[in-house]
Amino acid sequence: MGSNRTGWLLLAPTLIILGGFGIVPFIYVLWVSFHQWNPFGANPAMIYNGADNFRRLVFDTEFLQSVWFTMQFGFFAVVSEIVIGYLLAQLLMRDFPGKSIFRTIHTLPLIVAPIVVGSVWRLMTTPSIGIIPYYLNHWFGYQMNIGSSATAAFVTTVVMDIWHWTPLVTLTLLAAIVGLPKDPFEQAQIDGANRWQIFWHITLPMIRPAILATVFIRLMDALRTVDEIWMLTGGGPGAATRYVGLHIWKIVFPKTDYGYGSAISVIVLYLTLVMCWLLYVGLVAPRVKRST
Amino acid sequence: MAEVTIKNIVKRYGELEVIHGVNVDIADGEFVVLVGPSGCGKSTLLRMIAGLEPISGGDLSIGKRIVNTMPPKDRDIAMVFQSYALYPHKTVAENMGFSLKIKGAPKAEIDAKVRQAAGVLDLTKLLDRYPRQLSGGQRQRVAMGRAIVRNPQVFLFDEPLSNLDAKLRVAMRVEIKELHQRLKTTTIYVTHDQIEAMTMADKIVVMKDGYVEQIGAPLDLYDNPANVFVAGFIGSPSMNFLRGRIRSEGGVQRFVSDHGSVLPVKPIEVEDGRPVIYGVRPEHIGLGAEGLAVKVAVVEPTGAETQLFARAGEDTIDALLRDRVGVRAGEAVNFVIDPQKAHVFDQQTTKRLS
Ligand SMILES: Nc1ncnc2c1ncn2[C@@H]1O[C@H](COP(=O)(O)OP(=O)(O)OP(=O)(O)O)[C@@H](O)[C@H]1O
Ligand SMILES: [Mg+2]
């Protein structure tokens, strides 16, 4: 009995924080999502409207489009981050002059606040003053304008995300690679495997848990990016980079449609969970089953 | 199948030289055992032959081709690591079939070869397990299996039996020997167990501190050790050594130890009073009516043999007797030594004189 009380007491801070900052707001959002609520509108009262908000969502092309863009954004950003992050991690496994300086500098983006990242990239990509359009024009004769080209804007958001988050992937994968035992790789050479076969049959399966964990973390993060994108493109041109996070923001704040915004949040959370579940079922579960 | 020639091979780690110009010729199909105490460079030499460790000097050839800089995958060798080096994410069957899969062998062929090797190694029931679900000895057998499913130019074994229990070790020893007789593949086998070396080798290479001390057939090393180190390393229990001088009396040479024990030697050409080390194997000592008078300190009967630890004044001498003797600790007996079987080594160079 006594030890039970102590146990709850020790858990209490965590439970309070988790409840206060996680569960209560979530339940609140869920509750709001079943209402029509525009606190700054003509009728500021909360009116229960059942599943109307969700019904509206299914036919909301703006929303569906933003989900589609978000998924593309998440896919390209995370895949590139994993590939580049892995290559950088392998590079950091080798010795080269200036390695420690490089390692320090390459992690700097991680400590920059997203809002600052967005501002800096905005400066760098603004036509006529930005360094990127200047050199693209200088070297390739390409006129870059993320204010008018949807593709350019999309690519820029992906590149910015890569720039910001690849170091995280590098560090995670580096830790995984450093922890690998050496002799299976020697044995693979003896067994006649070339570099590519060693990568495919030995390295990849051995760092697979680390890769999957990184994919989960990065994917969930990428699916809810708001501030960087908001600073860089504001969701434009048109709705080309209006990813769901931004879409929710636009509905909740400028339009102050709290009920509908909450409904979208709930659905986005649901979609994120489904995607992670699919990844888990497709990639993790078969492994776990085989090895027990 | 191929011969392996190791010519003046040197290995340095930075400034530190750990192998100092080793020469070994290994004929096609020969079973060569590298023995030596821990840290003498056996694994390093083997890893250089495998191509896992760059060669700092000298020439290594496999099948008449110099392979100093050839990557391991092109050398066509199979190796069993001291640490097993299994692939942790692959099952036993996948571990064993990996080299064949890499070569693009058909699945049926891989399966057949893996099953056959598993049968030999008693791993059939474990084929679907992962390495972490195996005991040390089972892992070692998987590592063996991975080598024997292949048909390489050369087998390299780095203490492949060190983690097995005594019974399994003897069984595997016989298995490896039979395998070699069947396949006739050149084999280089590292061990620090001199019994393994004696029983398995066509040729033994005794190493110490990065030098080769002696190369020869097992019985040749036993009968004619080149120096004190080899004499002490080969044979169990180890040879008795006494320091002293050669004295001639009336044309008969004898060995007189620093503590005064007098022992017989066969005639050798050394000047009188030369400081030497006298060596005699415990199994070459018998009991008799006359000879060296000793006092027995400890008696260790093992059933088949009896080992006596005895003192002659300050000198300690062991004898290994084939039959059961009624000697008790504390008793005084006489040790009889056949001078033909005793060795005399130079104290300075430790080389054999007789
Ligand atoms: N990477 C390294 N850097 C420096 N010295 C090394 C390195 N690897 C091995 N050595 C040294 O080389 C010598 C030979 O090592 P090796 O592993 O070949 O010994 P071994 O004969 O296989 O011993 P054991 O019977 O214990 O396995 C040792 O003195 C060891 O300290
Ligand atoms: Mg070793």
Side-chain angles (χ1 to χ4, degrees):
Chain A
M1 212 41 205
S3 71
N4 221 340
R5 277 247 305 273
T6 323
W8 282 112
L9 217 68
L10 287 172
L11 275 177
T14 315
L15 290 179
I16 289 169
I17 291 172
L18 202 66
F21 295 98
I23 295 174
V24 169
F26 174 71
I27 291 173
Y28 182 64
V29 166
L30 199 61
W31 188 65
V32 169
S33 70
F34 288 98
H35 292 76
Q36 191 195 330
W37 187 29
N38 192 337
F40 306 103
N43 179 6
M46 262 173 117
I47 302 160
Y48 177 75
N49 66 356
D52 269 5
N53 286 333
F54 293 95
R55 207 168 299 140
R56 195 174 137 202
L57 260 179
V58 182
F59 301 105
D60 182 345
T61 45
E62 231 180 32
F63 166 70
L64 294 178
Q65 212 176 31
S66 95
V67 168
W68 175 232
F69 286 147
T70 314
M71 280 165 60
Q72 288 180 331
F73 167 74
F75 174 80
F76 285 112
V78 173
V79 168
S80 321
E81 282 158 22
I82 296 286
V83 171
I84 301 171
Y86 174 77
L87 293 176
L88 283 177
Q90 282 293 0
L91 181 70
L92 287 173
M93 287 296 290
R94 274 157 240 271
D95 273 324
F96 55 90
K99 176 175 158 179
S100 56
I101 294 177
F102 172 76
R103 194 170 45 200
T104 313
I105 291 178
H106 117 281
T107 52
L108 284 182
L110 283 182
I111 58 172
V112 182
I115 201 93
V116 177
V117 172
S119 320
V120 169
W121 276 80
R122 170 138 204 182
L123 272 177
M124 291 200 302
T125 52
T126 306
S128 81
I129 58 165
I131 185 169
I132 297 174
Y134 173 79
Y135 277 110
L136 284 181
N137 191 15
H138 193 77
W139 288 334
F140 309 107
Y142 173 71
Q143 301 283 344
M144 177 185 174
N145 185 349
I146 62 166
S148 65
S149 159
T151 316
F154 174 78
V155 171
T156 309
T157 58
V158 171
V159 171
M160 178 177 66
D161 198 75
I162 293 171
W163 177 84
H164 195 178
W165 293 112
T166 300
L168 178 81
V169 178
T170 307
L171 292 183
T172 329
L173 295 187
L174 185 64
I177 294 173
V178 168
L180 290 178
K182 202 165 119 255
D183 28 329
F185 293 88
E186 296 187 332
Q187 176 65 43
Q189 294 178 51
I190 300 269
D191 276 348
N194 58 31
R195 276 158 155 255
W196 167 247
Q197 288 165 324
I198 290 179
F199 169 74
W200 186 249
H201 292 289
I202 313 294
T203 319
L204 202 56
M206 285 176 80
I207 59 169
R208 184 192 160 92
I211 291 183
L212 286 174
T214 320
V215 167
F216 279 119
I217 295 171
R218 279 305 307 132
L219 194 62
M220 284 188 269
D221 260 2
L223 293 184
R224 46 166 212 179
T225 327
V226 179
D227 23 16
E228 283 163 79
I229 310 290
W230 184 71
M231 277 313 294
L232 180 65
T233 64
T241 57
R242 198 162 163 181
Y243 306 135
V244 277
L246 205 57
H247 186 69
I248 297 171
W249 184 84
K250 292 221 156 154
I251 287 185
V252 173
F253 292 98
K255 291 190 180 166
T256 64
D257 192 345
Y258 280 35
Y260 191 47
S262 301
I264 299 184
S265 307
V266 170
I267 287 299
V268 168
L269 174 68
Y270 177 73
L271 286 178
T272 310
L273 288 179
V274 167
M275 276 173 72
C276 286
W277 179 76
L278 284 177
L279 273 178
Y280 182 82
V281 169
L283 295 172
V284 187
R287 265 289 137 171
V288 174
K289 205 168 132 203
R290 270 185 65 197
S291 59
T292 44
Chain B
M1 290 201 213
E3 63 250 51
V4 176
T5 314
I6 298 165
K7 210 163 140 199
N8 268 319
I9 291 278
V10 172
K11 176 66 194 176
R12 280 181 226 103
Y13 289 108
E15 293 285 285
L16 178 72
E17 191 170 298
V18 296
I19 292 194
H20 322 272
V22 162
N23 290 289
V24 187
D25 284 324
I26 299 166
D28 185 15
E30 206 167 19
F31 196 116
V32 171
V33 173
L34 300 180
V35 279
S38 190
C40 70
K42 308 179 295 284
S43 297
T44 308
L45 187 58
L46 207 65
R47 289 169 57 81
M48 287 196 286
I49 299 172
L52 297 170
E53 208 64 75
I55 295 170
S56 314
D59 286 326
L60 171 72
S61 36
I62 299 177
K64 297 208 164 66
R65 257 199 315 165
I66 294 195
V67 295
N68 280 25
T69 54
M70 186 190 275
K73 71 177 169 65
D74 300 327
R75 293 194 186 189
D76 195 14
I77 35 161
M79 178 162 176
V80 177
F81 285 74
Q82 202 167 358
S83 55
Y84 329 129
L86 301 183
Y87 306 124
H89 57 284
K90 293 186 185 296
T91 62
V92 168
E94 287 168 343
N95 260 285
M96 286 165 67
F98 184 66
S99 59
L100 301 173
K101 186 172 154 186
I102 286 294
K103 273 201 216 128
K107 207 169 169 338
E109 185 194 325
I110 299 179
D111 262 11
K113 285 197 169 160
V114 166
R115 296 229 149 253
Q116 193 202 345
V120 170
L121 296 163
D122 198 13
L123 290 170
T124 311
K125 286 202 199 98
L126 307 176
L127 282 176
D128 291 324
R129 293 227 201 146
Y130 284 85
R132 65 173 177 280
Q133 300 164 318
L134 302 176
S135 74
Q138 290 167 336
R139 285 178 206 182
Q140 203 148 45
R141 270 142 60 205
V142 177
M144 285 289 306
R146 218 162 37 173
I148 67 177
V149 295
R150 297 180 50 187
N151 187 14
Q153 300 258 8
V154 182
F155 277 125
L156 304 177
F157 294 112
D158 195 351
E159 311 205 15
L161 308 183
S162 53
N163 279 296
L164 305 184
D165 61 45
K167 202 170 144 215
L168 199 54
R169 187 182 304 200
V170 174
M172 287 292 295
R173 202 159 80 196
V174 174
E175 203 62 63
I176 294 175
K177 195 80 190 141
E178 270 178 13
L179 183 82
H180 178 252
Q181 273 153 14
R182 198 168 69 235
L183 301 179
K184 303 237 181 325
T185 306
T186 313
T187 303
I188 305 176
Y189 187 105
V190 165
T191 178
H192 57 237
D193 178 349
Q194 56 94 23
I195 304 263
E196 251 171 49
M198 295 294 285
T199 51
M200 299 174 88
D202 293 325
K203 186 153 95 186
I204 296 181
V205 178
V206 183
M207 290 181 66
K208 183 190 163 205
D209 296 337
Y211 290 99
V212 168
E213 294 287 323
Q214 192 174 0
I215 301 178
L219 294 180
D220 191 35
L221 295 193
Y222 180 85
D223 292 334
N224 306 304
N227 53 40
V228 171
F229 176 77
V230 176
F233 195 80
I234 300 289
S236 166
S238 182
M239 190 183 270
N240 293 295
F241 293 109
L242 300 172
R243 287 170 167 272
R245 285 162 201 279
I246 296 292
R247 302 263 183 231
S248 284
E249 259 176 57
V252 182
Q253 287 178 311
R254 277 181 212 288
F255 168 82
V256 181
S257 85
D258 292 346
H259 303 297
S261 310
V262 180
L263 296 162
V265 293
K266 63 186 164 195
I268 45 169
E269 296 202 3
V270 294
E271 71 275 25
D272 223 32
R274 166 99 167 247
V276 296
I277 296 172
Y278 183 89
V280 61
R281 296 192 183 280
E283 56 270 36
H284 295 153
I285 298 177
L287 295 180
E290 44 193 281
L292 182 67
V294 298
K295 202 169 158 199
V296 177
V298 177
V299 181
E300 280 188 353
T302 57
E305 304 166 324
T306 310
Q307 194 168 1
L308 302 182
F309 297 87
R311 288 215 178 79
E314 299 273 300
D315 293 318
T316 58
I317 303 179
D318 315 341
L320 188 69
L321 304 171
R322 272 261 139 231
D323 22 46
R324 298 184 187 185
V325 286
V327 180
R328 298 235 185 84
E331 233 173 277
V333 294
N334 290 317
F335 276 175
V336 183
I337 293 166
D338 177 359
Q340 293 306 319
K341 299 245 165 101
H343 302 285
V344 175
F345 305 91
D346 187 84
Q347 268 198 20
Q348 219 85 61
T349 62
T350 78
K351 291 215 174 3
R352 185 161 55 93
L353 298 169
S354 57

